[in-house]
Amino acid sequence: VTAEADELVLNAAVTTDLVVLTIASGALQVLLVKRARPPFRGRWALPGGFVLPNEDLAGAAARELREETGMVAPSAHLEQLASYGAPKRDPRGRIVTVAYLALMADLPEPVADTDAADAGWHPVDVDARPRLAFDHETILGDGVERARAKLEYSSLAASFLTEPFTLSDLRRVYEIVWGSELEASNFRRKVLATEGFVVPTGGSAPAEGRGRPAALYRRGEAVHLNPPILRP
Amino acid sequence: VTAEADELVLNAAVTTDLVVLTIASGALQVLLVKRARPPFRGRWALPGGFVLPNEDLAGAAARELREETGMVAPSAHLEQLASYGAPKRDPRGRIVTVAYLALMADLPEPVADTDAADAGWHPVDVDARPRLAFDHETILGDGVERARAKLEYSSLAASFLTEPFTLSDLRRVYEIVWGSELEASNFRRKVLATEGFVVPTGGSAPAEGRGRPAALYRRGEAVHLNPPILRP
DNA sequence: GCAAAAGTGTTCCAGGTACACCCATGC
DNA sequence: GCATGGGTGTACCTGGAACACTTTTGC
């Protein structure tokens, strides 16, 4: 038996797909691209693409994010979500996709790249957006649930905001992602009681509209929230 | 532009690797196989293998589990853990592995299959087991951490036990996995206060050793624990 | 009786909810 | 002044930690 008998057999195409979430117009939104080629030509889908030979999985996801949004990874949160590999999930053959979840502030206008006829933000609410190609409905659902869960015990909510932000901004992130209202004064106490969640900039507030100007904050060093901020 | 121009390019070999955990001899143990072939010949590794053409990822993991332990999936808990795909993680080429976590009661003796020179249970404690091949140290670490975290808010601890079991058995699962002692009376109250975590069999206890015999329970329907049982 | 494990009761306290109330700003 | 959102104070309650105490078994 020679070493050549153990020659590697490539049995799949591996891609990364992105669930990129942001908050805009008072709603949680996901980045979608309109497919320029079959299969599912003309249908909306999550952005994604093949993993290149010298790239690791997170690197491929970061590259996709950069290509689609112009956002560089450190300024957005990027984490592995799950992998999907049902034999018939893509009619072209066995494609295994490693999905990543990205959370970012609503800054850049997405750009349609080579494989996409169009690109843009859509509400995650299933009644307010197009149906997705492949098994991307499942992937999106898993991504949104992951985001909702992570807000409870991590400081990721701040990833949806640009600095500096007010505590009301932060609370609105929670309310929009969870779809339920939070008691403002108790929310404030919980956030400030968590060492390193936010730090005051000392800066005063831009008086935008009526009411007392709010104090400004930026992200702290903490990543894990203890105690957590639990969904109602 | 023809459809043939979009011919699928297979760029990787996809495998599933298993982190199979059980409790034996008062310690958390992981199933390892000794590699019969290069690379890493003679080194211990997590069991795993290539995904077959007509199998989905969970199916491949369930098949591996059956081949290595004789355990059928429903009697053990099996869930996707994470995927690992660094370009150089396997010297043979691009191998992306989707890792699965399995929790099971300590019943079967593992059997060495075709690719393994040996197979057996080893403590997860890094000082009491061999070093692992590839990036399997990382995968094992992620699996153990996932197991520890899931005990808090799910009823998975019961997956480590055969029915019927006592509340002390269940408490010992938590203590062994978390590596810290729990207050017996408070643990009892928390478990019984959670609707559907365990149900009494009515059966009395086998008097094994000194002390009052314990009541027996089996698993309930609940999967999520609310409120959770948090680590000290 | 004594030791050991099962099981019950009780006290104390941290953290959450709900809500009243004051503060600073625009109009 | 009035409306609005920011920010503070407080009373109530639930759930967890700690620990005393009773029950049932083996020896």
Side-chain angles (χ1 to χ4, degrees):
Chain A
V1 178
T2 65
E4 282 71 24
D6 297 327
E7 193 85 0
L8 194 62
V9 179
L10 302 183
N11 62 353
V14 173
T15 64
T16 59
D17 285 336
L18 291 178
V19 178
V20 187
L21 300 179
T22 196
I23 288 177
S25 310
L28 188 61
Q29 314 248 358
V30 59
L31 179 63
L32 299 179
V33 298
K34 194 173 212 169
R35 292 184 55 80
R37 310 192 218 181
F40 295 99
R41 181 180 193 151
R43 286 277 291 276
W44 292 89
L46 299 174
F50 292 93
V51 177
L52 300 181
N54 284 313
E55 238 175 7
D56 66 11
L57 301 174
R63 175 177 53 78
E64 294 287 339
L65 182 65
R66 190 174 61 249
E67 289 174 1
E68 303 283 350
T69 69
M71 209 74 175
V72 287
S75 76
H77 174 78
L78 188 64
E79 68 174 46
Q80 194 184 105
L81 180 57
S83 296
Y84 303 82
K88 296 287 168 56
R89 64 178 294 275
D90 190 309
R92 288 170 290 180
R94 171 61 76 121
I95 299 188
V96 173
T97 191
V98 183
Y100 276 76
L101 174 66
L103 310 182
M104 55 191 295
D106 176 38
L107 278 182
E109 261 310 291
V111 287
D113 77 347
T114 49
D115 287 342
D118 196 2
W121 298 105
H122 297 257
V124 300
D125 178 19
V126 72
D127 298 323
R129 59 161 170 82
R131 292 306 165 110
L132 305 185
F134 308 109
D135 53 0
H136 288 187
E137 294 280 344
T138 301
I139 300 175
L140 174 58
D142 292 348
V144 170
E145 175 49 33
R146 171 79 66 92
R148 287 184 174 140
K150 282 213 115 181
L151 289 205
E152 290 192 316
Y153 55 90
S154 78
S155 60
L156 281 185
S159 299
F160 285 115
L161 297 172
T162 54
E163 298 182 337
F165 52 83
T166 70
L167 293 183
S168 289
D169 294 334
L170 189 62
R171 178 168 49 84
R172 264 168 222 125
V173 169
Y174 278 87
E175 291 178 336
I176 289 169
V177 175
W178 287 347
S180 58
E181 302 213 329
L182 300 180
E183 222 281 315
S185 67
N186 291 330
F187 178 81
R188 170 192 182 78
R189 243 189 307 263
K190 289 186 204 180
V191 170
L192 295 181
T194 303
E195 196 72 23
F197 189 177
V198 298
V199 295
T201 63
S204 65
E208 40 146 317
R210 294 174 292 284
R212 173 173 171 178
L216 295 173
Y217 297 83
R218 56 177 177 78
R219 303 190 62 165
E221 308 297 322
V223 291
H224 289 290
L225 261 43
N226 201 301
I229 299 179
L230 297 175
R231 286 176 264 193
Chain B
V1 178
T2 65
E4 283 69 27
D6 295 327
E7 193 85 2
L8 194 63
V9 179
L10 302 184
N11 62 354
V14 174
T15 64
T16 60
D17 286 335
L18 292 178
V19 179
V20 187
L21 301 180
T22 195
I23 287 177
S25 310
L28 188 61
Q29 313 249 356
V30 60
L31 179 63
L32 300 178
V33 298
K34 194 173 212 169
R35 292 184 54 79
R37 309 192 219 183
F40 294 101
R41 180 181 195 150
R43 287 276 292 275
W44 292 90
L46 298 174
F50 292 92
V51 176
L52 300 181
N54 284 314
E55 233 174 14
D56 66 9
L57 301 173
R63 174 176 54 77
E64 295 286 341
L65 182 65
R66 192 175 60 249
E67 290 174 0
E68 304 283 349
T69 69
M71 209 74 177
V72 287
S75 75
H77 174 79
L78 187 63
E79 68 175 46
Q80 195 184 106
L81 181 57
S83 296
Y84 303 82
K88 296 286 168 55
R89 64 178 293 277
D90 190 309
R92 287 170 290 181
R94 171 61 77 123
I95 300 189
V96 173
T97 191
V98 184
Y100 277 76
L101 174 66
L103 309 182
M104 56 191 294
D106 176 38
L107 279 181
E109 262 309 292
V111 286
D113 78 346
T114 51
D115 286 343
D118 196 3
W121 298 105
H122 296 256
V124 299
D125 177 18
V126 72
D127 298 323
R129 60 162 170 80
R131 292 306 166 107
L132 305 185
F134 307 108
D135 53 1
H136 289 186
E137 294 280 343
T138 301
I139 301 174
L140 174 58
D142 291 349
V144 170
E145 175 50 33
R146 172 79 68 91
R148 286 183 176 141
K150 283 213 116 182
L151 288 205
E152 290 191 316
Y153 54 90
S154 79
S155 60
L156 280 185
S159 299
F160 284 115
L161 297 173
T162 54
E163 299 181 335
F165 50 82
T166 69
L167 293 183
S168 288
D169 293 335
L170 188 62
R171 178 169 48 85
R172 263 169 222 124
V173 169
Y174 279 87
E175 290 178 337
I176 289 169
V177 174
W178 286 348
S180 59
E181 302 212 331
L182 300 180
E183 222 280 315
S185 67
N186 291 330
F187 177 81
R188 170 192 182 78
R189 243 188 309 262
K190 288 187 206 178
V191 170
L192 295 182
T194 304
E195 196 74 21
F197 190 177
V198 298
V199 295
T201 63
S204 66
E208 40 146 317
R210 292 174 291 284
R212 174 173 170 175
L216 294 174
Y217 297 83
R218 58 178 176 77
R219 304 190 62 163
E221 309 296 321
V223 290
H224 289 290
L225 261 44
N226 202 302
I229 299 180
L230 297 174
R231 286 176 264 193

